[in-house]
Amino acid sequence: MTNVPVHPAHPASSSGSGPRGRFLGRVVSNRQLCQEHFGLTIQVDKFPPSVPGQFVQLDCTDENHPLPALPPQEREWRIGNGGQSHDPDLAESRAFLRRPFSIAARRDLSTGATELEIIYRVVGKGTRHLESLQPGNSISLIGPLGHGFIVPTQLTQAILVGGGVGIPPMFYLAESLRQSSHAAVAFIGAQKQALLPLTLTAVPPSP
């Protein structure tokens, strides 16, 4: 996991009720972590303070295939019998809605910009678009959203448990605990090892 400091004004014990907004980020890297997961690093200017457990909404619309600009009187869902769409725009293979992703890590740069790390699994139209992003591409995001984890003030040993989509926010939380000198042990689960979105270190067998 990347060594990423948590914003000093918002420790892990905060619930994260600060400001939020809409931002245009720049893709720094988009790398494959395991069989189906990718790590997307986005640089954002003037991103508000965040805490572990919060998330962002990413725009997964293809820039090369923008949504049509319809006049107000034509902005309606045209759905026929049986739930089948007769609108050719709705039938095309592209994402219409933003997708929520937990913040897996945060790095505040000396330039004043912030790098956010997002872990995603390719499962549909929106995440297939994310997979196609290259360094330098732009992406719109809204955040930070949601409430962060509440860490007990008298904590001595943290035990983190998660699986699937619950793994990425644990990375952010684990780094926050490390920065505040709290010991932590994590238990994570997946259907198989190839679906764990992290680098595994081989443990030598016991003598």
Side-chain angles (χ1 to χ4, degrees), residues 38-53:
F38 290 77
L40 178 65
T41 303
I42 305 171
Q43 186 175 119
V44 187
D45 291 331
K46 299 179 180 179
F47 192 73
S50 62
V51 295

Side-chain angles (χ1 to χ4, degrees), residues 37 104 119 162-172 187-190 195-198:
H37 288 89
I119 295 175
V165 296
I167 296 177
M170 289 205 319
F171 292 163
Y172 192 177
F187 297 88
I188 59 178
L195 293 179
L196 287 173
L198 72 167

Side-chain angles (χ1 to χ4, degrees), residues 7 43 52 54 72-73 95 99 105 132-133 145 150 162 173 178 207:
H7 196 286
Q43 186 175 119
Q54 290 189 290
Q73 64 271 21
R99 303 294 197 265
S132 70
L133 293 176
L145 302 171
I150 302 297
L173 177 59
R178 191 190 71 83

Side-chain angles (χ1 to χ4, degrees), residues 3 50 60 67-68 86 95-96 99 117 136 155 157 175 177 183 190 194:
N3 183 8
S50 62
C60 297
L67 299 177
H86 297 290
F96 285 83
R99 303 294 197 265
E117 293 191 21
L155 177 70
Q157 172 87 42
E175 178 60 22
L177 292 171

